[in-house]
Amino acid sequence: HYVAGGRIREILTLYLQEHPGLVDRCCSSLGSDVAPSDLFPPAHIVQLRSDLLNLIGSAQGLPTVHGSPPPIKGLQGHLLHQWASWASDPAASAAHWIRDGAPAGVTVDFKLDGILLPVENEEPLGIDQLVCDSDSFTNYSGVEDDPEALEIIQGYIRNGWLAAYDNYDDLAADVGGSPILNKFACIKKTKADGSIKRRIIMDSKKSNVTEASRKSYRAVLPRATDLVTDILSLQATASAPSEIEAFVCDAEDAFWQIPLHASERRFYCAILRHRGGRTQYLSYNRTAQGSRGAPLAWTIIFGLVCRCCLGTLHVPENPGTQRMQVYVDDPAVTLAGPREKRLLSLNWLLLL
């Protein structure tokens, strides 16, 4: 990762040098409502990704990339796979999930031997034991009678994260079998300013899809004390004019970033009954928050992303001055060094 990250860092640094003042504008935008596209025009991002792919391809003896650029938003599966393969990351093949869809552990296994610790003695429920009655199906209260909760779900449909159908037969035909229906729930949390934040999750326990899912592997999250240890270890070796700085990023719409494998979609369906009699039949196109497999898929993909990104921060003349702990979708980064170098490192991360 250090070799690959160092070469990629050169391209990112050149871009920042060609745009004076961008480093300061990026740093001052943190915590504000400034959109990434206000800082990094889409055309620039497309060109940067093309430059990175061509760099990686040249290093591996691959042909120059041509053709239509990938979508601006979302994870870039091809770039991630090429980068991780160049860095010899053991989880590089998982980047194909962004193209092919991630397993959920019902009909498709994760196949992560040598990457995560296995979970022993799993005996999942057979999928032939999964049945549901669409006529008697109901969601949890607080979903269909809450306009704001309904609007959140409609936003998922507009984004393409959920597919919507007018009738049950169309749903069944698209997912390739009898849909297994899961209840929606709306989790409400009151924020410090008194406003209410709503989060929609899917309950796959009631449908027994959880019991039919094979997790097979166990991911271990860092503890809060690991971040404290990172800060203390950097403080112990820092010398003037170096300072220690820590910050946390947030991966937006985390689980929604990863497509769900087509053969798993039958097990992640739902029905939404609106006031006035309209009914929507839904299936997940992305890994479902509330399912057993989604956290594992996210752990593998985002861990891969963060290892690649961390490699770009390793500067040979200042080794060991960067740390990263990843708390699900919140990577906590600790940097040591003079202010201008810390800000440059931050901008490398923002560009990626």
Side-chain angles (χ1 to χ4, degrees), residues 52 84 108 256 267 288:
L52 293 179
V108 182
W256 296 111
F267 306 100

Side-chain angles (χ1 to χ4, degrees), residues 32-63:
S32 72
D33 294 329
V34 175
S37 58
D38 295 333
L39 299 169
F40 311 114
H44 291 191
I45 298 301
V46 169
Q47 185 60 53
L48 270 174
R49 288 171 179 166
S50 177
D51 291 345
L52 293 179
L53 280 169
N54 287 327
L55 165 68
I56 296 169
S58 176
Q60 296 184 291
L62 301 175

